[in-house]
Amino acid sequence: MRLFATFLLALFCHSGFTQSSNGYSSEANVITIPVVVHVLHSASSNISDGQILSQINALNTNFNGENADINKVPAVFRKVAGVANIRFVLAKVDPGGRATTGITRTKSAREMWTNDDKVKDPAFGGVAPWDPGSYLNIWVCNMIPGLLGYASAPGSPADKDGVVIKMSIFGATGAGSFGLGRTAVHEVGHWLNLKHLWGDRECGSDEVDDTPQQRTYNQGSPAFPRIGTGCSAANPHGDMFMNFMDFTNDASMMMFTQGQVKRMRSLFDAGGMRKSILSSKALGEPYVVAPPTAASNNVVVSVPAQGVAAPSAKLFPNPATDRITISSEHERSITGSTFSIHSADGRVVQSGLVSSNNFSLNISSFRRGIYFVRIGEDAGKQVIRFIKQ
């Protein structure tokens, strides 16, 4: 989590190295992460596509040592500076297989958001995440004073997974103390399993060997060397306040270390918590929508990006853990209609006939994630999205 230091809240939380063109150590294989940006705006506040693209560019330059100011890293720390070789690209295909810009926009009556995850919950005017096994979800919204952003760590519940950033500092605006898009760099670092340098407690550990232990956060624009906050003689050069995982102003942070790079990239190794993103279809071609057949369960459902078609049926609870109930209170009966449940990648995981206008289904064996219930066929079909916790 990144906050104005004067408004601190409780804090949350391989391949070999090669030499990059700028001389800093770099991982060899490029990891590409599809991104979807969910903009929640009011009538008076919004953000342009251009500013969103500037933030994607800021993520790419800063994660890959392409930021011009990386040469300002003091020589004593320069030898451990790392280049992640992680690239961020706006998604081209949504979870339903349709073409997308990688940007969703939702007008919400709520003017201000905090770090309670309601921005991710449609029941509170938020937007549910796209499948976190295939996308990095970023929510952009107006946030309470003092809070710049927060992120979920790997292994968080699927319906909470992603990064939330304050709208006024999203993108490289060049304005103010946080105008270089580095709050998002910091928060995506958390999403990739990096901790604050002080381990969120006095003289704590960030579990990375090449970042000097420090007593607490730094703020503003410190001068090097920043001596006096270290926790032992093993920190003779002072704090690495220019690291993206401290709390300094954007212009004062400019590097990740090789150890931090290894920690982030390990998420994509076999068994790693972000491994599935490497097989995401989000950067391919839109799928061809096809009905189910006896020969194949590989079905892609056409689903509106923000949820469902004009409803004649309702699904609850949502999110759900063990069972879902689908009911219709309208004149048009759904009894006798076909239904099928599809995973986010288009596979049919359950199907059958609707037995009544109020029927329940057991989903306890489903993996956590986003699913779609299709009721009926062709022009009369309805699709309802739900989250399995």
Side-chain angles (χ1 to χ4, degrees):
M1 180 187 294
R2 194 176 184 201
L3 313 100
F4 291 112
T6 54
F7 186 83
L8 284 177
L9 301 176
L11 303 176
F12 294 36
C13 85
H14 293 279
S15 53
F17 280 105
T18 62
Q19 285 302 114
S20 67
S21 60
N22 61 16
Y24 295 98
S25 292
S26 171
E27 290 280 0
N29 300 324
V30 177
I31 293 170
T32 303
I33 299 177
V35 179
V36 55
V37 177
H38 304 291
V39 181
L40 287 98
H41 64 91
S42 65
S44 59
S45 66
N46 209 327
I47 188 171
S48 70
D49 286 1
Q51 197 151 328
I52 292 172
L53 291 172
S54 77
Q55 180 63 75
I56 299 299
N57 182 62
L59 289 173
N60 285 320
T61 57
N62 288 289
F63 270 85
N64 296 296
E66 297 166 359
N67 46 306
D69 57 358
I70 196 169
N71 291 319
K72 296 180 181 179
V73 174
V76 68
F77 294 138
R78 195 173 303 162
K79 61 185 179 183
V80 298
V83 174
N85 245 1
I86 296 175
R87 293 285 171 182
F88 302 87
V89 181
L90 286 173
K92 298 177 181 179
V93 182
D94 75 6
R98 304 188 314 171
T100 180
T101 62
I103 301 169
T104 74
R105 295 181 181 276
T106 302
K107 186 176 180 180
S108 176
R110 185 165 180 168
E111 294 287 339
M112 203 72 65
W113 304 83
T114 184
N115 60 339
D116 58 6
D117 283 331
K118 290 181 179 178
V119 71
K120 308 170 186 178
D121 190 341
F124 293 94
V127 176
W130 290 5
D131 174 21
S134 297
Y135 303 85
L136 162 57
N137 287 268
I138 300 178
W139 289 264
V140 180
C141 57
N142 290 320
M143 304 190 79
I144 60 172
L147 181 60
L148 303 183
Y150 69 97
S152 61
S156 297
D159 62 333
K160 303 292 190 295
D161 195 276
V163 170
V164 184
I165 305 292
K166 187 173 186 175
M167 182 178 290
S168 61
I169 58 165
F170 190 75
T173 66
S177 300
F178 308 103
L180 300 180
R182 288 174 173 171
T183 293
V185 175
H186 176 103
E187 298 302 343
V188 172
H190 285 314
W191 185 80
L192 289 170
N193 208 30
L194 295 186
K195 297 184 176 183
H196 293 131
L197 299 184
W198 60 101
D200 290 338
R201 61 186 178 86
E202 186 171 304
C203 293
S205 172
D206 66 352
E207 300 178 15
V208 175
D209 291 338
D210 59 4
T211 56
Q213 189 179 33
Q214 63 187 55
R215 186 170 300 279
T216 187
Y217 64 89
N218 290 285
Q219 60 180 315
S221 302
F224 178 80
R226 171 79 166 135
I227 304 291
T229 69
C231 301
S232 70
N235 190 13
H237 304 293
D239 293 349
M240 190 185 280
F241 62 81
M242 68 293 304
N243 193 287
F244 289 120
M245 301 314 294
D246 208 334
F247 271 0
T248 51
N249 292 347
D250 277 16
S252 293
M253 52 171 57
M254 57 202 69
M255 68 172 287
F256 290 115
T257 69
Q258 295 169 27
Q260 288 174 316
V261 166
K262 281 187 174 292
R263 185 175 173 90
M264 289 188 284
R265 289 180 63 93
S266 68
L267 293 172
F268 302 91
D269 290 343
M273 291 186 179
R274 303 286 187 201
K275 171 73 172 175
S276 63
I277 281 183
L278 299 182
S279 56
S280 172
K281 297 179 181 178
L283 298 177
E285 294 297 323
Y287 311 158
V288 176
V289 178
T293 67
S296 174
N297 280 335
N298 294 321
V299 181
V300 177
V301 185
S302 178
V303 181
Q306 293 302 327
V308 303
S312 60
K314 296 181 179 180
L315 182 151
F316 57 92
N318 190 4
T321 54
D322 297 317
R323 302 190 70 85
I324 56 173
T325 297
I326 300 173
S327 67
S328 175
E329 299 175 352
H330 298 261
E331 292 181 1
R332 178 185 171 191
S333 173
I334 59 175
T335 303
S337 300
T338 60
F339 79 87
S340 54
I341 302 179
H342 303 253
S343 61
D345 62 3
R347 292 179 299 108
V348 176
V349 295
Q350 190 172 337
S351 62
L353 292 176
V354 177
S355 58
S356 70
N357 269 10
N358 190 60
F359 74 109
S360 294
L361 296 170
N362 187 339
I363 62 166
S364 59
S365 63
F366 290 12
R367 293 183 177 182
R368 292 189 306 176
I370 298 173
Y371 292 84
F372 302 92
V373 180
R374 176 175 175 168
I375 304 173
E377 297 290 343
D378 301 325
K381 72 176 181 293
Q382 178 187 359
V383 179
I384 307 175
R385 182 169 73 171
F386 73 94
I387 296 171
K388 165 66 166 67
Q389 291 184 326

